[in-house]
């Protein structure tokens, strides 16, 4: 049994490395010069935050969705709305090209173009370099229903989309051994690749379809678990920092897929499949910036798991820790983790949980990849679906979806602890938050 944590103290984080006085002086000078250059470049640019919103109706119906552009004040952590676009867009996850010139968004629905069964869409926008305002460029089919996640390759050459699929089954009658039989069919869950170029998003170059299976023990489940895990559901796909591998989470069948990115196409080559414990529902992942670790937040178990990525492209399990305190949640609700991010320093990992409405903070042992919980804070709102850290790691912004707001927390650079600073922006149904300097 995994025990809940409370106010635990973080362990040691940095290994003992011996450096000579001469090397220290040389490195200090280099760091000072690099910091000065970085500060000068940074001071010439402004930091913007892009926030996506679901529409007001179910399954992409209604309006009030789209993408909102904010200027972000790095002195006080406040947001100022500059512009909004595409209220008809059921904007789930978004990502920005490495140069900040394009933004890509999922349109989470099953009826793109008002055609039932057409699946969802991927939408590309041009980002104005002066105002950060968005201009719509291209729309292509996402190659599946309800695209739940999108990420961009580190070199900007393509984007990857995770198509979740719906929870609804279709009844079909087939002949088996000469006798009629009823089959239940579900949407395919898939990962699709889309080449990108200047002012252009191309149709999918490759699609990997998850194995059509349900989670182990699913037939004995009742309630939400019997719905969530009756079929595969791709909930996220992320590139590793080098851009060579992708990791996709299947929360429906408790599986994690690892692919290699092949340049010809580009295309996906499946390297391995990791079977998580039954009922785990791996949802989102985050790679460590410079160590061979990846952290996965589990939706139905309210836990975070850490893995080591081995050279052949397989996952080696390290540890699982809880993301919640164990306290009771409001009647009719359940603790369901949603998002995970690694601090830019690589020293801390954060995970959000709906139900308890909290952010769990962990320190990372850089030698082993093990996590040590040290803090649990309220998001000061309801249903924290997505959050993100500012590029310098000094702030954490969380989108409380059912409170229609984004809250800002200050991050202590030494301890990783979070402190609410009172900054709040009202945004309808926020889902994903991304930053960019322009």
């Amino acid at each position: 049994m995994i025990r809940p944590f409370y106010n635990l103290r973080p362990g040691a984080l940095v290994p003992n490395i011996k450096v000579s006085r001469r090397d220290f002086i040389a490195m200090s000078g280099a760091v000072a010069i690099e910091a000065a250059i970085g500060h000068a470049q940074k001071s010439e640019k402004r930091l913007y935050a892009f926030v996506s919103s679901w529409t007001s109706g179910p399954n992409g119906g209604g309006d009030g969705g789209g993408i909102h552009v904010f200027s972000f004040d790095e002195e006080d952590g406040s947001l100022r709305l500059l512009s909004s676009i595409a209220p008809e867009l059921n904007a789930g996850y978004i990502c920005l090209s490495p140069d900040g010139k394009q933004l890509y968004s999922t349109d989470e629905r099953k009826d793109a173009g008002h055609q039932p069964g057409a699946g969802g869409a991927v939408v590309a926008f041009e980002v104005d370099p002066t105002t950060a305002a968005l201009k719509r460029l291209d729309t292509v089919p996402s190659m599946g229903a309800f695209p739940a996640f999108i990420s961009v390759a580190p070199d900007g050459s393509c984007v990857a989309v995770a198509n979740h699929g719906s929870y609804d089954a279709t009844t079909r009658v087939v002949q088996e051994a000469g006798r009629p039989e009823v089959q239940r069919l579900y949407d395919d869950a898939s990962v699709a690749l889309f080449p990108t170029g200047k002012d252009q998003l191309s149709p999918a170059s490759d699609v990997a379809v998850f194995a059509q299976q349900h989670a182990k023990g699913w037939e004995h489940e009742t309630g939400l678990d019997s719905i969530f895990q009756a079929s595969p559901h791709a909930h996220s796909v992320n590139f590793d920092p080098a851009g060579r591998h992708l990791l996709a989470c299947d929360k429906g069948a408790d599986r994690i897929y690892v692919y290699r990115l092949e340049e010809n196409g580009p295309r996906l080559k499946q390297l391995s499949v990791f079977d998580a414990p039954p009922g785990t529902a791996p949802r989102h992942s985050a790679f460590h910036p410079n160590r061979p670790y990846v952290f996965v937040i589990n939706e139905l178990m309210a836990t975070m798991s850490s893995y080591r990525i081995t050279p052949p492209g397989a996952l080696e399990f390290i540890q699982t820790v809880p993301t919640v305190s164990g306290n009771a949640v409001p009647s009719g609700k359940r603790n369901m983790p949603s998002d995970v991010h690694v601090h830019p320093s690589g020293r801390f990992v954060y995970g959000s949980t709906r139900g308890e409405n909290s952010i769990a903070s962990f320190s990372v042992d850089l030698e082993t990849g093990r996590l040590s919980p040290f803090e649990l804070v309220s998001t000061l709102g309801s249903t924290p679906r997505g959050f993100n850290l500012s590029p310098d790691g000094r702030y954490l912004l969380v989108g409380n979806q059912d409170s229609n707001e984004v809250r800002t927390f200050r991050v202590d650079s030494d301890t990783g602890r979070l402190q609410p600073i009172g900054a709040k922006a009202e945004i309808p149904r926020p889902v994903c938050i991304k930053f960019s300097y322009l």
Side-chain angles (χ1 to χ4, degrees):
M1 177 179 179
I2 300 172
R3 298 179 62 84
F5 69 83
Y6 298 92
N7 293 321
L8 303 181
R9 297 176 63 86
L13 298 176
V14 182
N16 184 21
I17 301 174
K18 294 183 178 181
V19 181
S20 70
R21 181 174 181 273
R22 178 179 296 177
D23 288 342
F24 177 78
I25 294 173
M27 287 190 299
S28 299
V31 169
I33 294 172
E34 183 176 352
I37 294 174
H39 179 74
Q41 292 174 338
K42 178 179 170 183
S43 63
E44 296 174 359
K45 295 185 176 183
R46 296 178 60 188
L47 183 58
Y48 295 90
F50 300 83
V51 183
S52 61
S53 288
W54 275 354
T55 56
S56 57
N59 302 325
D63 55 14
I67 302 169
H68 314 282
V69 182
F70 294 83
S71 61
F72 183 74
D73 191 319
E74 297 184 80
E75 296 300 321
D76 62 14
S78 63
L79 293 166
R80 182 170 67 90
L81 181 63
L82 301 177
S83 61
S84 298
I85 192 172
E88 77 287 352
L89 191 70
N90 198 34
Y93 269 74
I94 58 177
C95 63
L96 286 143
S97 60
D99 60 10
K101 294 181 179 180
Q102 281 86 37
L103 181 145
Y104 307 98
S105 173
T106 60
D107 188 9
E108 292 193 35
R109 61 181 68 247
K110 194 175 181 175
D111 59 350
H114 304 289
Q115 299 181 24
V122 184
V123 185
F125 296 88
E126 179 184 47
V127 182
D128 187 287
T130 303
T131 65
L134 300 177
K135 176 184 176 182
R136 196 163 185 158
L137 295 174
D138 290 313
T139 300
V140 298
S142 70
M143 307 306 292
F146 296 109
F149 201 95
I150 186 169
S151 59
V152 63
D155 65 359
S157 61
C158 63
V159 295
V161 172
N163 290 292
H164 182 280
S166 72
Y167 295 116
D168 300 325
T170 298
T171 303
R172 182 180 181 185
V173 178
V174 297
Q175 293 289 331
E176 290 290 341
R179 301 183 62 179
E181 181 179 298
V182 172
Q183 287 186 346
R184 287 189 297 181
L185 302 180
Y186 293 89
D187 290 336
D188 282 330
S190 65
V191 171
L193 287 180
F194 301 84
T196 59
K198 184 179 180 181
D199 301 332
Q200 183 179 3
L201 175 67
S202 299
S205 60
D206 196 19
V207 181
V209 179
F210 288 1
Q212 190 62 241
Q213 64 182 65
H214 55 68
K216 294 179 181 178
W218 159 82
E219 60 273 14
H220 305 300
E221 296 288 351
T222 59
L224 279 178
D225 291 11
S226 66
I227 298 172
F228 287 172
Q229 298 208 291
S231 63
H233 295 294
H235 212 297
S236 65
V237 58
N238 279 302
F239 291 87
D240 71 359
R244 293 192 296 266
H245 299 94
L246 298 93
L247 188 143
C249 291
D250 178 356
K251 80 169 192 179
D254 295 324
R255 308 185 96 191
I256 304 173
Y257 291 80
V258 180
Y259 302 94
R260 183 172 66 229
L261 184 65
E262 304 278 293
E263 293 182 0
N264 183 21
R267 298 192 177 280
L268 294 165
K269 179 177 177 58
Q270 183 177 311
L271 298 179
S272 64
V273 181
F274 181 88
D275 290 310
T280 300
R283 176 183 170 96
H284 282 187
S285 68
F287 285 92
H288 194 277
N290 49 48
R291 299 296 174 103
Y293 307 131
V294 64
F295 308 96
V296 176
I297 200 158
N298 305 308
E299 183 168 346
L300 297 182
M301 283 290 190
T303 57
M304 179 96 71
S305 298
S306 56
Y307 299 89
R308 180 187 299 273
I309 305 172
T310 63
L315 292 182
E316 179 183 286
F317 173 75
I318 297 175
Q319 176 198 29
T320 292
V321 292
T323 63
V324 294
S325 65
N327 297 331
V329 296
S331 177
K333 292 194 174 183
R334 177 178 179 176
N335 284 326
M336 301 180 74
S338 51
D339 203 7
V340 54
H341 290 277
V342 181
H343 191 271
S345 69
R347 298 171 60 206
F348 313 110
V349 176
Y350 301 91
S352 58
T353 298
R354 299 159 295 175
E356 190 174 69
N357 298 323
S358 60
I359 298 285
S361 305
F362 306 87
S363 60
V364 183
D365 186 318
L366 299 179
E367 297 303 315
T368 66
R370 293 182 67 84
L371 299 173
S372 297
F374 63 85
E375 185 181 50
L376 192 68
V377 301
S378 168
T379 64
L380 305 177
S382 180
T383 318
R385 176 168 291 273
F387 71 95
N388 208 350
L389 291 144
S390 60
D392 59 8
R394 293 193 299 129
Y395 295 99
L396 184 149
L397 274 63
V398 58
N400 290 311
Q401 190 172 43
D402 289 343
S403 300
N404 300 306
E405 64 183 16
V406 170
R407 294 261 187 179
T408 302
F409 293 78
R410 193 182 302 276
V411 183
D412 188 293
S413 61
D414 294 324
T415 67
R417 292 184 177 273
L418 304 178
Q419 177 66 43
I421 59 176
K424 180 179 73 170
E426 295 183 358
I427 305 171
R429 299 165 298 280
V431 178
C432 181
I433 304 167
K434 295 293 182 181
F435 291 95
S436 181
Y437 279 105
L438 296 173

